[in-house]
Amino acid sequence: SKLTPTLRRLGEKARRPGCRAMLSVGSDAEGRWLYQQLSQAPGERRIQAQIRIASPSAVEVLCFEAGE
């Protein structure tokens, strides 16, 4: 898929401490597929994600610094 490199990069960012992924998807199955793609990024930390049914589909990674 053309999205794979982008999803891998987002997955790496989502694995960082203080970060989480927000997935807006058209269906539960699409959300599971997107999460699977993010999870293929290198790293040990489990990706924290929130999935919501919405259109258009989007992936956003939010990171919060300690103390903010």
Side-chain angles (χ1 to χ4, degrees):
S1 160
K2 290 188 286 185
L3 284 177
T4 302
T6 300
L7 293 174
R8 186 180 184 96
R9 207 167 50 249
L10 288 169
E12 286 183 56
K13 184 175 180 183
R15 285 193 192 278
R16 295 178 193 159
C19 296
R20 69 181 303 130
M22 306 292 285
L23 311 177
S24 299
V25 295
S27 69
D28 188 55
E30 185 182 349
R32 282 195 294 270
W33 181 85
L34 268 177
Y35 184 84
Q36 256 183 345
Q37 302 308 304
L38 294 174
S39 293
Q40 290 179 13
E44 297 298 316
R45 187 174 174 274
R46 185 174 180 271
I47 293 174
Q48 301 294 314
Q50 179 178 339
I51 298 174
R52 67 178 176 183
I53 305 300
S55 183
S57 296
V59 178
E60 183 178 11
V61 176
L62 303 174
C63 296
F64 302 95
E65 297 295 326
E68 283 189 23

